[in-house]
Amino acid sequence: MNDRPSGARLPASPRPRGDARVSIRDVAALAGVSIGTVSNTINRPERVRRLTREAVERAIAELGFVPNQQARVLTGASSQVIGLVVLDILSPFFMEVASAVERAANEAGHMMILCDSENSIAKQAGLLQMLAAQRVRGVLVTPASADVRIAREAPASERPQIVFLDFKDSAQHCSVSVNHVAGARRAVAHLLGLGHERVAFVGGSRVLHQFDQRLRGAVEAVVAAGLDPATALVEEPVSSIGIRDGMLAAERLLARGVPSAIFCGNDMLAFGVYRGLAAAGVRVPEDVALVGYDDITFAADWIVPLTSVRQPVDELGYRAAHLLFDHSSGDPGHVHQQVVLQPELVVRASSDPSAR
């Protein structure tokens, strides 16, 4: 264990504060200790006596020294960087998730790298390889497909520690997901309970595998109500998940005869559907009841406050980050967990005029 005499004064700073060329050797010289002591203070502080550690920390602060993350990992210390790979960084839902993950990372003294797979399996594979090359501690992934072989079968050098976010795999992996089947079932049961006999679902598993689960929940609600899904449920697929896609879906539904109720795979699609209906003079909720999914921050402040299935977004991101810390800790006693969170239906004026 390294130490230095208590109360010893630090020598003059060998280089100006914040100089990009400041090295660990400069820190050691200023603190009056060995390079190994500085390294231990950064990577294994429990091995260094308090007074020595405080002297090194003062030197680091005075010089503005920033440890080299990759060099730090090569010493055997755990990385302080995690990755987050989402499907669409323009989505308010994923931005809220990222905010929760970053908060958890900051509390743990870590940093987060946010990556956008653009819902592409090929780009997702490249991002995981890149993050592995950066020696991150681990990665939270919302997979671009239900086919997650990249996370199971990639060589160890290309496969960082992974926790799935908003996706439940098998007991072989940690995951935090939401019961989308239950969420959609509640949404459609709500519409049927208001007397609607035909419901359109705007979504499609070709875009998001979560939409497939939401469609399954919609079918279950229709069957539970004693109706035939072939006639009571209209599927309207989309090519993406934004407002423009919702507007185009509304145009197609209007051309064929729009049902009296529409359930959308996410809130952005619902906003687009609303605009498409409004442009055609169709009123929400007087002519068509409208329900979204996610309950993003401004759903309650939409032109007509939007009924939506609220995902526990903050809990989703926060718990996933902590599960990743546990999974990547190297603890041989770690047990993989598959956490499933429950959504809730928030009824507003877009589906039920009485909710005004």
Side-chain angles (χ1 to χ4, degrees):
M1 186 176 294
N2 297 286
D3 204 349
R4 65 193 300 274
S6 63
R9 296 183 61 186
L10 294 178
S13 174
R15 285 190 181 154
R17 173 181 169 80
D19 192 311
R21 296 168 296 169
V22 170
S23 69
I24 193 171
R25 188 181 302 276
D26 300 320
V27 175
L30 181 59
V33 298
S34 69
I35 292 175
T37 299
V38 177
S39 177
N40 280 338
T41 300
I42 295 171
N43 300 318
R44 301 175 181 87
E46 70 282 356
R47 296 186 180 182
V48 183
R49 292 180 181 176
R50 181 179 60 82
L51 292 176
T52 304
R53 187 170 64 246
E54 291 174 353
V56 174
E57 290 171 349
R58 287 197 300 272
I60 288 173
E62 182 174 339
L63 292 172
F65 173 69
V66 178
N68 182 301
Q69 185 64 220
Q70 290 192 341
R72 181 177 180 275
V73 173
L74 288 173
T75 68
S78 175
S79 172
Q80 292 177 306
V81 179
I82 63 171
L84 171 61
V85 180
V86 300
L87 304 178
D88 180 7
I89 61 172
L90 296 179
S91 164
F93 167 75
F94 285 118
M95 286 300 91
E96 290 181 27
V97 169
S99 177
V101 172
E102 185 172 39
R103 188 177 80 254
N106 289 340
E107 290 174 358
H110 285 53
M111 295 179 61
M112 181 191 77
I113 298 176
L114 176 61
C115 303
D116 185 1
S117 72
E118 297 180 331
N119 206 18
S120 163
I121 296 176
K123 186 174 181 184
Q124 173 184 274
L127 289 170
L128 290 177
Q129 292 173 6
M130 180 273 292
L131 290 167
Q134 294 298 315
R135 296 178 177 270
V136 297
R137 174 166 178 164
V139 184
L140 294 170
V141 181
T142 300
S145 166
D147 181 357
V148 291
R149 284 178 296 178
I150 180 63
R152 297 194 189 108
E153 301 173 3
S157 61
E158 301 176 2
R159 188 184 67 240
Q161 299 279 9
I162 287 176
V163 168
F164 289 116
L165 190 152
D166 198 26
F167 178 83
K168 183 181 179 182
D169 188 38
S170 67
Q172 297 176 328
H173 286 92
C174 289
S175 63
V176 182
S177 61
V178 177
N179 189 341
H180 296 302
V181 174
R185 188 167 57 236
R186 291 169 190 160
V188 175
H190 162 69
L191 292 169
L192 297 175
L194 292 172
H196 301 283
E197 297 181 349
R198 282 183 79 232
V199 179
F201 174 68
V202 177
S205 58
R206 290 183 305 169
V207 180
L208 289 179
H209 50 82
Q210 290 91 337
F211 283 3
D212 185 58
Q213 299 170 45
R214 294 167 195 176
L215 175 59
R216 185 152 36 106
V219 170
E220 288 183 6
V222 169
V223 171
L227 301 174
D228 182 359
T231 56
L233 189 62
V234 179
E235 297 180 41
E236 185 56 50
V238 293
S239 58
S240 191
I241 60 175
I243 289 180
R244 174 67 178 166
D245 305 283
M247 293 175 66
L248 294 174
E251 291 175 7
R252 294 191 296 270
L253 288 170
L254 287 164
R256 298 199 308 269
V258 64
S260 62
I262 301 176
F263 170 48
C264 296
N266 71 7
D267 289 342
M268 300 302 285
L269 288 171
F271 296 153
V273 166
Y274 177 92
R275 288 183 176 177
L277 295 176
V282 177
R283 300 169 301 167
V284 173
E286 290 82 1
D287 302 318
V288 174
L290 182 63
V291 175
Y293 201 105
D294 291 338
D295 195 33
I296 59 178
T297 303
F298 44 88
D301 299 320
W302 185 244
I303 303 165
V304 175
L306 181 67
T307 295
S308 186
V309 177
R310 175 180 294 165
Q311 297 202 62
V313 181
D314 191 79
E315 184 180 6
L316 179 70
Y318 195 80
R319 290 189 67 173
H322 280 279
L323 192 55
L324 180 62
F325 297 147
D326 185 58
H327 175 50
S328 59
S329 66
D331 180 3
H334 170 75
V335 177
H336 292 322
Q337 299 180 50
Q338 294 76 46
V339 179
V340 180
L341 306 177
Q342 297 301 320
E344 63 176 307
L345 180 67
V346 181
V347 177
R348 300 190 180 99
S350 70
S351 67
D352 186 357
S354 66
R356 292 182 187 275

